[in-house]
Amino acid sequence: METLKSSTLQLRQLTKKYNNFEAVRDLDLNVPSGSLLTLLGPSGCGKSTVLRMIAGFLNVTSGEILVDGKDISRVEPNFRDIGMVFQNYALFPHMTVESNVAFGLKMRGVAKHEQAERVRDALAMVQMTHLADRYPSQLSGGQQQRVALARAVVIKPKLLLLDEPLGALDRHLREGLQSELRDLQRQLGITSILVTHDQDEALYLSDYIAVMNGGCIEQLDTPIALYDRPQTEFVARFLGVPNIFASTVVASSSSEVTVSLGGQNIIVPTDTGKTVGSSCKISVRPSHIEVARSEDPRQGVTAVIKSAHELGERIVYHCEVADLKIEANAPRISSSERFAVGQSVKLVLDPAHTVLLRD
Amino acid sequence: MFRRDLEGRFGITVSLLAAVATVFLLLPVLFVVLHSFSPTRYFQWPPQGFSLEWHLNFYSSSMFMDAAKNSFLMALIVTPLSLVIGIPASYALVRSSFKGKAVIQQIILSPLIIPGVVTGVSLLSLLSAAGMNIGLFGLCLGMLVFALPFAIRALSANLLGLDPRIEEAARNLGAGPFRTFFAIVLPQLKSGILAASVFVFVEALDNFSIAVFLSNDSTKVLPVAAYQYIKDFDDPTVAAMATALIVMSIILVAFLEKVMGFQKSLRL
Amino acid sequence: MAKTSDRSKYLISPALLIASFIVVAYGYFALTSFFPKGPPGTQFVGTPTLDNYWRVLGSGSNQAVLFSTLGASFLISLITIAVAVPMAMVIVRAKREWVGNLIMLAIAVTFLSGGVTRAYSWLILLGNRGLINLGLTNSGIVDAPIRFLYNWSGVGISITHYLLPFAVFTLIGAVRNLNPSVEEAARSLGASRTTTFWRITMPMLLPGLMVTLVLVYSIALASFLFPMLLGGGKVRMIANQIYDRMFVEYDIPYAAATAVVFLVSAFASIWLISFVAKKIEKAVS
C-alpha cells in the first residue's frame, strides 16, 4: 500500500466539561505529521475523552481541534475522515470481514471495482485475505484486531485513532501485534493517536508520549526521555519508579542543586533554581543506582543492604540510609560483585538520570 | 458448569419435585388436546373412542371463525405497529439521555404492572366519553397500549446487549445517523424484533381482560368468544380451539428455536 | 453525551403519544371516581364527592374481597415459588442437558398456549367427575370427590399454573448467577447436600426469590379470568368486582373508585413486600 498523505493534528485549549466536572482542561497538543503520539494515563485521566472528541463522539466544550490547520470540532463524525480502531474492535457482527472493511468505502461512494481492490490490498496488508468470508464471531481476538485495523486504514484517513487497541489480547499475542502495528504505522506514515494505560505498549509504539492526569498533560516527551527523566512525581510513580525521595535543598546554583538524602549530600543537575532550605523530591530508577564498595571514592550515599534477590537478569538490593529505603539493581552477570545482607555499601546515583521533580 | 449437586438423596428429591411440577405444568395442555378428540360431550375416562366432532364444530362455527378472523386481524395490525413505535422508542430509551426519560419509560411500561382490567376499563371509559365508537380501532388501540411494553422490553434487552462502539465505528467510517440505524443497528436487532413480534402477537391473541371491555359483537375476539361459549355450552368445542392455539404455539417455539434458540428469546 | 444521541431522543415521540394517551385514560378514569354516577349513557354528573370511596372502603364485603385478593395472591405466590425452585435448579444444573431443555420446552409451550386455554382445561380437569377427582377416587386416596371448582382451591391451582412460567424464567437467572464454588466450599467443610441447600444455596438465592415473589404477586393480584371461570361467581377478586360494577351495575364512578383503591393497596402491599424482603436479606447476609 502506498504511503498516505499524512496530516498534522493540533489541539488548542481543548476543554470538556460535564456539569461542574472538567474531564479535559485547556489541553494544547501538536502531533507532527506521520508520527504516533500516545496519550498515557490511568483510567479517568481524560485520555479517552480527548480521543472521543477528536473522533467526534463527544462535543467539545471549548477549544479547537485542527487537522491540517482546519478546525473540525463542529463537524459530524461521519464527515471527519478519521480512522479509528476501537477497544474490543467494534466489528459489525452481521457482516463478513470483507464487508466490514468495505463499509467505509461504500459510505464514500467508491466505485465497486476500486472497493474490491482496496479491500483486497488492506486485507493482504494485515494477512487476513484467507479469512475474508468469515464473520467476526468466527475470528480470534488477534484476527479481529487486524480486521479492525484494515477497516480503519482502508479509507485512507487523515488520522488514525487507536483506543486501547491491544488491551483485550493476552500478553503473548499483544507483543507480536505491537510490532506489526508499529511497522504498519511507519510504513503508511499515518499520523496516529494511541490511547493506553499500558506503559510498555506506549514506550514501544510511540514517537511521543503525553502522560495525562486530571484532564491535563503532565509531561510530553519521547519514550526514552520519559522513561529516564520523569518530570513530576505523578509521572514517576505512574511509570513505576520505586525510588522517590522527599528531601531538602542544601545548596543551589544555576546548573545544580545539592540535596540531603538520609543526612548525606547529593548533587543533582537541574536548571530550575531552588531556594536553600526548601523541600523537594528526587526520583531515580534502581537501574541508575550502582552498588559499590563503601570505600568507593565517587560521590554517593552510604547505606546498609537489607535484602538481596537474584531475579532473572537483575540482582535487586533493598538498602537503607537512616530511615530512607532505596532500591538498587545490578546486572546479574558473573562479573558483578555480590554484596551480602547487612553489608555497608556506597550507592552511586547516576547524575544524568537523577531527577529533581517539578512541584 | 457446576452439575454435581443433583446427585444423592437430595438431588433425587429435587429432580422428583421438578418432575412433578413439570407434569403439573403440562397436564392441562396435554389434557385439553386429548379432550378435544373426545367422542362424548362430557369428560369420560378412559376415553370412549376418537372423534373430530368438536374440531368440526369449532371450524364450522361462524361465531368462532369470525372471532378468529378478528383476533388475527387485530394481532396483525398491533404487531407491526408496536414494532414501528417500539423500535425507535427503545433506541431512544437505551441510547440517549433526556429529561423525563425515566418517567416516560415508567408510563409506557405501566400497563405491565397495572392490572389489565383497570387498563381495559380506563380505555373503554375514555373512548366512550370521547364519543368514539369502539370498533376495531378502539380494540387495536387498547391492545397496542397493552402490548407495546412487551415489545419495548424485548427490544431494549436486545439493544442493551449491543456495543455502542459498533455504531460509533459506522459513524467514524462515514455513515450518517440514519444509515447507521438501518445498516448497523437494525440487523443486530433481529433477535429482539423476532422475540418482540412473537410476544406481542401471542399476548394480543391471548389477552382477555382488556379485550372483554373493548370488543363488541362485531369485533369479538377468540378469548371472549371462548369465554361466552364456556358459559353457555358444555361441550369440548373450546378444547378444539385450545388445541389449535397449542399447535400454533408449538410451531412458534420451533420457529424461535430454529432462528435464535428459544431459551434465548424467552430470556429477553 | 454522544453526538449521535443528541437527536436520537426524538425517536421516543411516537411512544410519547401512546404514553400521553395512557396518562389521559388512567387520569380520566381516576377523575371519574370523584363524581356521582350519571344517568344511563353518561359516565358521571354533579359535583366532586368522596362517596364512592366511602362505599368501597366502608362495606365489609368490599373489604373482604380486597383482603382476600391480597392474601390469596400472596399465598399463591409463595406456593408458586416453592414449585418453581426445583424446576429452575434442574433446568440450570441437570447433568443431562436434554432434561433442562425438555422442561424449558414444556414451559414455553404452556406459556404461549394462553390463559383461556388453560383456564378451560382446569375447569374440566378439576370438575367433580374430572380427571383429577377420578384419579383420586379410583386410587382410593379419597372416598368422595373433592370440590375444586367454585372455591379458592381451583382458582388457586389455576393461578399457580399461570404464574409458574414467569417464576421459573426469573429464577433461572438467579440460579445461574450462583457461584458454585461457595457451595463446593460448604461441601468440602463437611455439610451435606441438604444442609448446603438450606444453609448456603437458599440464602444466596434470596434476592432472586424476592424479585420473583414481587413479580408473581403483582401478576396474581391482577387475576381476572381464572376467578371468573373457576370461581363461578363464588370466588371474587377485585378485578371481577370492577368488571361487575362496570357491566352489571353500570356504575362507572364506583368501578373507578374500586380500581383506585385496588391500585393503591396493590402498590402499598408490593412496597411492603419489597421492604420486608430487604430487611430479611440484610438479616441473612
Side-chain angles (χ1 to χ4, degrees), chain B residues 193-213:
Chain B
I193 290 172
L194 203 70
S197 312
V198 170
F199 274 113
V200 168
F201 193 77
V202 169
E203 290 296 334
L205 277 189
D206 182 49
N207 178 281
F208 177 75
S209 53
I210 289 179
V212 79
F213 291 100

Side-chain angles (χ1 to χ4, degrees), chain B residues 18, chain C residues 83-93 103 167-168 171-173 175:
Chain C
V83 178
V85 168
M87 293 182 90
M89 296 275 289
V90 170
I91 287 170
V92 176
R93 294 183 164 182
I103 301 179
V168 178
L171 283 174
I172 283 173
V175 175

Side-chain angles (χ1 to χ4, degrees), chain A residues 74-344:
Chain A
R74 309 281 153 192
V75 178
E76 284 287 301
N78 43 319
F79 298 124
R80 289 200 182 189
D81 239 340
I82 292 174
M84 181 155 176
V85 175
F86 289 79
Q87 212 176 352
N88 301 337
Y89 325 120
L91 297 178
F92 306 130
H94 58 295
M95 294 184 187
T96 60
V97 165
E98 197 173 6
S99 313
N100 261 282
V101 178
F103 187 85
L105 299 172
K106 217 153 113 195
M107 293 302 119
R108 283 164 175 72
V110 173
K112 274 261 159 16
H113 63 277
E114 195 192 333
Q115 265 187 41
E117 197 177 311
R118 281 167 70 176
V119 169
R120 195 168 5 95
D121 288 350
L123 287 178
M125 180 185 75
V126 294
Q127 295 127 49
M128 287 293 294
T129 312
H130 59 298
L131 299 175
D133 295 328
R134 296 272 183 97
Y135 283 90
S137 58
Q138 299 167 309
L139 303 179
S140 71
Q143 291 167 338
Q144 291 186 35
Q145 206 275 341
R146 288 158 194 254
V147 176
L149 190 62
R151 185 179 70 174
V153 298
V154 75
I155 58 171
K156 297 182 182 164
K158 291 183 183 141
L159 296 176
L160 179 63
L161 307 181
L162 304 152
D163 187 5
E164 307 259 5
L166 306 169
L169 302 173
D170 62 55
R171 187 161 193 89
H172 181 70
L173 201 57
R174 201 171 349 171
E175 280 164 7
L177 276 164
Q178 266 176 17
S179 68
E180 277 183 46
L181 185 62
R182 189 186 150 101
D183 293 348
L184 199 70
Q185 191 268 336
R186 300 281 143 94
Q187 188 191 323
L188 295 171
I190 184 170
T191 312
S192 308
I193 315 285
L194 169 75
V195 156
T196 185
H197 64 270
D198 179 339
Q199 53 158 314
D200 292 332
E201 191 172 304
L203 292 169
Y204 184 83
L205 288 171
S206 319
D207 294 311
Y208 304 98
I209 298 176
V211 179
M212 287 188 68
N213 178 29
C216 298
I217 292 177
E218 285 262 336
Q219 185 176 352
L220 173 63
D221 242 321
T222 63
I224 289 298
L226 193 75
Y227 186 84
D228 287 346
R229 300 187 56 82
Q231 295 300 312
T232 68
E233 185 178 351
F234 175 83
V235 175
R237 286 201 191 282
F238 188 74
L239 294 178
V241 180
N243 297 326
I244 296 168
F245 310 120
S247 168
T248 15
V249 178
V250 179
S252 177
S253 78
S254 63
S255 63
E256 56 184 45
V257 291
T258 307
V259 298
S260 156
L261 222 56
Q264 303 174 47
N265 286 353
I266 288 286
I267 293 170
V268 182
T270 177
D271 49 9
T272 53
K274 276 261 184 191
T275 45
V276 174
S278 66
S279 61
C280 62
K281 282 200 166 145
I282 305 294
S283 139
V284 56
R285 285 193 178 269
S287 53
H288 294 141
I289 300 177
E290 191 185 329
V291 185
R293 294 186 182 185
S294 53
E295 58 270 25
D296 195 285
R298 287 174 291 177
Q299 178 202 243
V301 180
T302 307
V304 178
I305 293 189
K306 287 290 168 187
S307 75
H309 298 284
E310 306 214 358
L311 295 173
E313 297 169 341
R314 310 167 294 159
I315 309 170
V316 177
Y317 293 107
H318 287 107
C319 316
E320 241 177 58
V321 191
D323 53 354
L324 211 64
K325 290 181 170 55
I326 302 179
E327 186 183 327
N329 291 352
R332 198 172 68 85
I333 46 179
S334 41
S335 63
S336 301
E337 187 172 356
R338 263 64 168 175
F339 297 94
V341 172
Q343 200 175 337
S344 182

Side-chain angles (χ1 to χ4, degrees), chain B residues 2-5 7 10 25 28 43 88 98 117 119 121 123 125 128-129 141 171 206 213 227 236 242 263, chain C residues 4 9 21 26 28-29 43 92-95 101 114-115 117 121 129 161 180 184 193 197 224 228 246-247:
Chain B
F2 181 61
R3 288 187 178 277
R4 265 163 302 164
D5 67 342
E7 286 170 356
F10 172 77
L25 194 71
F43 170 73
F98 48 89
V117 170
T119 306
V121 83
L123 294 175
S125 159
S128 44
L141 185 61
R171 295 300 307 276
D206 182 49
F213 291 100
Y227 170 71
Q263 292 222 16
Chain C
T4 43
K9 65 183 173 202
F21 178 65
Y26 288 144
Y28 177 75
F29 191 57
Q43 304 205 347
V92 176
R93 294 183 164 182
K95 220 183 286 176
N101 284 339
T117 298
S121 193
R129 303 194 52 228
H161 186 258
E184 287 171 330
R193 288 195 178 85
F197 178 77
F224 173 49
M228 202 159 161
M246 194 81 185
F247 284 131

